[in-house]
Amino acid sequence: MGVTRSESGEHSTATGDPAAGGPAPYDPRPRLRLRFFASLVLIGLLLGLLIGRLVDPGPVRLEAVQALPEGLQLRFDREPALHQEYLDGAFGMLVQAEGRDQQGELRIDDMPVRWRIQPSERGLLVNLVAVRALRVQWHGEERDGGWWMVLEVSPGTP
């Protein structure tokens, strides 16, 4: 019968049997395991980035501006974040959105009111300027697949 000892190098346990006194064989499994788990982590990261790009709606966009007899109407693709400020004879609002530079003039109770929308680094600046103090009230609502903001302008104090 065959002997399990390494005698002539003809047996399968001849070169890699530590029990027979030979060197330990090279085992590629730990390295393959590391590559397998690293590839799983990389695939998970790439899928997460892909899903994040698909779910992210992007910046809010100003779609239309319309002058009304009582003020200004702005249409956005969805509701933006905003910050407003009053100065003597002026009203300023920073809207977290993207859009193009636009300007015009309104007549409120025979008082000329100039308006301007201009892009900046932090969003759109909506400015209303008149000779006298302005009172601006705004309200917004979601309708027709967009978000509408109406700025109602009247003379007076804020």
Side-chain angles (χ1 to χ4, degrees), residues 29-133:
R29 284 181 289 176
R31 189 169 183 178
L32 287 176
R33 249 185 244 133
L34 179 66
R35 283 185 183 176
F36 174 73
F37 287 121
S39 64
L40 283 180
V41 167
L42 181 63
I43 289 172
L45 176 71
L46 291 175
L47 282 175
L49 289 172
L50 177 69
I51 291 171
R53 293 287 287 191
L54 291 175
V55 174
D56 182 28
V60 178
R61 299 220 26 96
L62 175 66
E63 295 177 343
V65 178
Q66 182 180 2
L68 301 174
E70 69 275 359
L72 204 59
Q73 183 178 33
L74 309 171
R75 180 171 189 234
F76 297 93
D77 59 349
R78 64 182 188 281
E79 183 176 0
L82 47 96
H83 174 73
Q84 65 184 9
E85 213 173 286
Y86 285 98
L87 299 171
D88 290 335
F91 171 79
M93 179 182 286
L94 176 65
V95 181
Q96 300 293 320
E98 291 182 350
R100 59 185 177 85
D101 195 3
Q102 301 178 46
Q103 61 185 359
E105 185 172 322
L106 302 170
R107 298 224 34 107
I108 307 293
D109 293 340
D110 290 329
M111 176 180 65
V113 177
R114 304 267 313 156
W115 62 269
R116 182 171 183 184
I117 299 173
Q118 60 187 21
S120 71
E121 293 178 1
R122 298 186 307 170
L124 287 177
L125 289 172
V126 179
N127 296 316
L128 298 167
V129 179
V131 178
R132 295 184 297 183

Side-chain angles (χ1 to χ4, degrees), residues 4-7 12-26:
T4 59
R5 289 183 293 133
S6 172
E7 293 178 13
S12 64
T13 59
T15 58
D17 187 11
Y26 173 71

